[in-house]
Amino acid sequence: MKSAHVRWLALIAATGLSLAACASGTADDDTADSGNSGDESEDAGSAFAADAELSGDLSIMGFSLGDEIAEVRYDEAVAALGEVDVSLAEGELDIQQFLSSAATGQPPDIIYANRDQIGTFASRGALLPLNECIAGEEIDMSMYREPAVEQVTFEDSVYGIPEFNQVQITMANAGLLDDAGLAIEDVNGSDWDAMEAATEAMMEKDGGKLSVIGFDSKMPEFLPLWAKANGADLLSEDGRTAQLDDPKVLEALEWAVGIYDLQGGFGDVKAYRDSADFFGEGNQFATDVLGAMPMEQWYVNVLNDVSPDVDMAFDTVHGLDGATLAFASGSAWAIPAGSSNPEAACRFAKTMTTVDTWMAAAQTRADARAESDKPFTGLLTGNAVADEEIYNAFVEPSGSEVWDAAIEATYEANDHTFSLPANPADAQFKTAWQDAVNRVLNGQQEPQAALEQAQQEAQSALDDAWATWDEE
Amino acid sequence: MAQSATTTPEAPRDSVALRAKRLSRRRNTRAALLFISPWIIGFLVFTAWPIVYSAYLSLTDYDVLNDPSFIGLENYQEMVEDPKIRLALWNTFYFTVLQVPLYVMVSLGLALLLDKAGRAAGFFRTAFFLPKMTPPVAVGILLLLLFNGQDGLINTVLGWVGVDGPAWTTDPTWVKPGLILISLWSVGSSVIILLAALQNVPQELYDSARVDGAGWWQQTFKITIPMISGALFFIFIVNTIAAFQTFTEAYTAYFGAGNSTYSNDAALFYVIYLFQQGFEFLNMGYASAMAWLLFVIIMIFTAIQMLASRRFVYYEGEQR
């Protein structure tokens, strides 16, 4: 009797384990086959060519049709694929979902990712190098902005086609500046002493509680910006050496955190910042509770939409040497290793980012803005030629010096960007420096000790990741 | 021989009956296994196999995308030297030790109140349970709003009684207490379980106690709590396990959507660090080793609680 039970259980267990083992085994094999190689397209007998007739399916992950800019370009790109059956899973790129699909050998055919994720994926063989795609589809990479291309270039191979670009500009409440006898130049980053004075001049407290933030240095996210303003990069050009213990980085951190200390500490400023209606009519500028801050250019559109009459002043962010600078971030199209239709993916990425496609999207946006009697504030893309053509064709004086200044500052910033180079341990590197800044902001560590710890953590992660890459 | 001769006529009948019985039992067993087999297969494929496989992965260097390579106990050695493991464990123990008793006490308190609510009990039962329906991500966002140091509801209320509330969401000293308090948002399910247990306590026990002059406190501690100790133990043990695995609210508020770059070490719970290692840093081998350490810790604590329950938990009908 007992032995019969055991036989049954053994049979069921064996069936289950076999099923599980089959699934797992297949996954590993496929991944191993598809990873670390740029020759999948050749293996599959495929060829990238600008005039090739395409067929099959194309699955897209990480992209959303949130507005007319996305919709117009998506329609154009789908049309360029001819007979290809395109399926789009809308939403931000879900890393877990992408990794799981890649691990099981069934990745999407193309992904839309942040550019800073590209190096990590590429170093692990999760992405196809696009050299053949670029050559076959005759994609002119010189059109794309250099910092954007650098972000998607890992060990001399391009792994992504840059799409949008994001830059920071200085945004200030003109009324508060005037009341304090200040000008936008006092808060644009070019003179840190002047900015401290401006912070104190505009900051107000009511019954011991912060009621007006003088200046928000937007930490921790803008440490790379302030470090660059002080002449330092967080990471070496080759992406192998962390430079978080550079005295200039330390100086930048101390200054940026000091801005909060002047206003009662980071906790007070953050709590007040978090309580604001950031995207609504009651935003910090409209309610006169924020003097100035650096912010990504998209916030100009938000302000223009929800509070068009707010008295603002705009400028680029400047380094201590007076030069304009902006920390570029943004998105890119990349083709996963194991993509079943890399040719269609390549054509799709190309079409989504060509000058003509961007122009068509900009036309639609400009028409929509004109219809609602609002100025077209431009589009910032990773394509420098498209940016210029869009600016020349669609950006016109809005009749408001304030918003025109914002647009000018945005375009100027876009011409003076820098970025962190692609590397195989971007997430650990970022976590290391952000944790360091947070420890300082939370009062847990002094700036020097925090950056020394971050340097160790970041370098250790980089060394491990690069060692794996170099071995392979 | 004689004995054999006398028993021989009975033997075939016994044997046939026994065989029929065995056959019937075997049929029943086969049918039972057939019915339960979907679950068994599901368990083996989706639970047992991942557990076994994660044990293997914990001995490898695995980045999810490429084949795992065997490295022995290196991940475990690295964990010993990793200061963030110590920090995450400390945060998790702190949270568990304070949150679980508080959670159980609040649940019990509300259940006792509900038990006395009479006709209104149905309404309050629903009202207490409704917050449990809130997705944990929303609770994480709610935490940032309620506990905002500038104008959050908690500090506003504290201000009415002259207390200058702390910076709950940024001061490392107050981050964990804030998370403990917000976890009480979802006591509803425990309240319902305890209420059901309370309503099963025989009324005669209270009547007898009252006749003997027992007051409310005596009734509660001598009758109510012993009689619902099984339910209390269940809530205690389940919440201890959940507290060790706490993730969503803290991750949302301090590491995820609520904050793109701001984070707070004080909220770095063990499972959050495990998630970072596995899915952000792609160190799945290391994350698997971390998962096994957590499994062992939870197992030890559960075993201790089970042992303690022999002394403190009363099950109706149990012989002692």
Side-chain angles (χ1 to χ4, degrees), chain B:
Chain B
M1 242 349 232
Q3 193 181 8
S4 167
T6 53
T7 55
T8 303
E10 300 292 326
R13 257 184 291 169
D14 281 353
S15 169
V16 169
L18 203 63
R19 216 175 297 153
K21 205 173 169 187
R22 274 183 194 161
L23 195 67
S24 160
R25 199 179 296 170
R26 202 175 296 168
R27 271 192 202 136
N28 286 342
T29 306
R30 210 173 289 172
L33 282 171
L34 196 68
F35 281 115
I36 207 174
S37 61
W39 181 86
I40 290 177
I41 291 171
F43 172 76
L44 290 170
V45 174
F46 297 114
T47 305
W49 173 246
I51 289 172
V52 173
Y53 195 61
S54 79
Y56 162 67
L57 287 180
S58 75
L59 305 173
T60 68
D61 181 9
Y62 179 49
D63 69 359
V64 185
L65 295 161
N66 295 292
D67 289 343
S69 61
F70 189 77
I71 55 169
L73 294 172
E74 267 182 44
N75 285 327
Y76 292 95
Q77 284 168 348
E78 204 180 314
M79 281 168 59
V80 174
E81 293 157 13
D82 185 346
K84 279 199 169 180
I85 291 276
R86 289 194 290 277
L87 174 69
L89 280 174
W90 159 247
N91 287 339
T92 307
F93 280 124
Y94 179 114
F95 180 83
T96 305
V97 166
L98 291 182
Q99 191 263 354
V100 176
L102 186 64
Y103 188 95
V104 174
M105 281 192 288
V106 170
S107 302
L108 179 61
L110 291 174
L112 286 169
L113 282 175
L114 269 183
D115 195 34
K116 304 290 177 201
R119 282 185 183 177
F123 168 77
F124 285 113
R125 208 163 42 214
T126 309
F128 284 145
F129 193 77
L130 270 179
K132 179 72 182 169
M133 309 300 282
T134 315
V137 172
V139 177
I141 301 293
L142 191 70
L143 163 79
L144 295 177
L145 297 173
L146 287 177
F147 288 83
N148 182 293
Q150 182 81 9
D151 63 356
L153 183 64
I154 303 295
N155 276 6
T156 303
V157 171
L158 288 174
W160 293 342
V161 291
V163 176
D164 189 16
W168 296 93
T169 57
T170 51
D171 185 341
T173 313
W174 289 100
V175 164
K176 281 191 284 288
L179 283 161
I180 289 167
L181 290 176
I182 200 75
S183 74
L184 302 178
W185 183 263
S186 57
V187 291
S189 55
S190 300
V191 172
I192 299 299
I193 292 169
L194 289 177
L195 183 63
L198 283 172
Q199 288 173 347
N200 276 335
V201 179
Q203 189 57 37
E204 306 86 67
L205 295 178
Y206 294 111
D207 295 340
S208 307
R210 269 195 293 273
V211 169
D212 290 344
W216 185 86
W217 283 104
Q218 279 179 308
Q219 288 177 42
T220 302
F221 284 97
K222 302 283 185 184
I223 300 172
T224 308
I225 290 180
M227 290 301 288
I228 63 165
S229 57
L232 276 172
F233 175 63
F234 170 76
I235 288 169
F236 199 82
I237 208 161
V238 166
N239 277 293
T240 303
I241 294 169
F244 273 118
Q245 297 176 335
T246 189
F247 175 81
T248 312
E249 292 86 347
Y251 187 81
T252 306
Y254 295 106
F255 299 91
N259 284 288
S260 55
T261 55
Y262 175 73
S263 64
N264 201 309
D265 274 357
L268 184 74
F269 294 119
Y270 193 83
V271 178
I272 291 177
Y273 188 45
L274 189 157
F275 177 83
Q276 287 181 334
Q277 285 290 346
F279 291 101
E280 292 178 13
F281 306 158
L282 307 186
N283 295 327
M284 196 55 84
Y286 192 70
S288 299
M290 286 182 68
W292 272 89
L293 175 65
L294 183 62
F295 173 71
V296 170
I297 290 170
I298 290 176
M299 204 167 68
I300 291 169
F301 272 82
T302 306
I304 292 169
Q305 286 173 325
M306 296 296 280
L307 285 174
S309 75
R310 288 181 192 171
R311 181 168 165 72
F312 297 110
V313 179
Y314 166 73
Y315 295 105
E316 212 168 340
E318 185 184 41
Q319 297 286 328
R320 290 210 176 182

